């Protein structure tokens, strides 16, 4: 997608590169500031992924990354974007089912990315 925008549509290249990078950085800082416990920490049950990370559960960085990339793809190609959003939903669901995030963590990650995608990719 980045190569396509660089060679054929130069104007959105930096938008499609910088907005996802900015969301990733923002979510990374936010989760350090909030520093919520993960489900496996709070309830003392092992996660499916055998994770041992302490805190930094809120918001989910995997979910945020998946959704902001999907928003960038949606900007370039509607059909692929809808598919990418569907995959992002599955990623969010897998984070909950694996026991590494609460529902609020993935909702926050998805919400931040969708809001930033609408504002910084589609409107600006």
């Amino acid at each position: 997608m980045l190569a396509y925008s660089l060679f054929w549509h130069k104007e959105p290249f930096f938008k499609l590169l910088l907005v996802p990078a900015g969301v990733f950085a923002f979510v990374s800082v936010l989760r350090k500031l909030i520093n919520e416990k993960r489900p496996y920490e709070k309830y003392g049950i092992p996660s499916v992924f055998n994770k041992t990370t302490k805190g930094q559960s809120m918001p989910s960085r995997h979910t945020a990354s998946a959704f902001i990339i999907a928003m960038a793809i949606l900007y370039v190609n509607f059909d692929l974007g809808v598919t990418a959003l569907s995959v992002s939903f599955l990623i969010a669901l897998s984070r909950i089912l694996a026991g590494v995030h609460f529902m609020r963590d993935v909702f926050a990650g998805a919400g931040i990315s969708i809001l930033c995608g609408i504002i910084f990719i589609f409107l600006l």
Side-chain angles (χ1 to χ4, degrees):
M1 176 188 70
L2 287 174
Y4 172 79
S5 68
L6 176 63
F7 294 114
W8 288 279
H9 298 283
K10 294 186 189 286
E11 63 279 348
F13 174 76
F14 289 106
K15 179 189 290 194
L16 298 177
L17 178 67
L18 295 177
V19 173
V23 167
F24 182 84
F26 175 71
V27 167
S28 295
V29 170
L30 187 61
R31 60 195 266 139
K32 285 186 184 292
L33 292 173
I34 296 171
N35 200 26
E36 285 288 325
K37 287 185 177 181
R38 294 174 177 271
Y40 58 80
E41 287 180 275
K42 188 170 184 175
Y43 299 115
I45 55 172
S47 75
V48 172
F49 297 135
N50 200 22
K51 291 192 55 110
T52 58
T53 306
K54 301 291 184 197
Q56 299 182 31
S57 179
M58 167 74 152
S60 169
R61 193 167 46 198
H62 279 92
T63 303
S65 297
F67 272 91
I68 195 61
I69 291 168
M71 294 296 287
I73 294 169
L74 186 67
Y75 181 76
V76 173
N77 182 297
F78 180 79
D79 293 333
L80 288 177
V82 170
T83 302
L85 286 169
S86 300
V87 171
S88 298
F89 174 77
L90 294 175
I91 290 170
L93 184 61
S94 76
R95 305 302 291 169
I96 297 166
L97 294 176
V100 294
H101 285 290
F102 293 103
M103 284 178 51
R104 65 163 196 243
D105 303 339
V106 298
F107 282 137
I112 289 167
S113 292
I114 291 169
L115 184 62
C116 288
I118 290 168
I119 294 170
F120 297 111
I121 294 176
F122 284 94
L123 296 179
L124 295 180

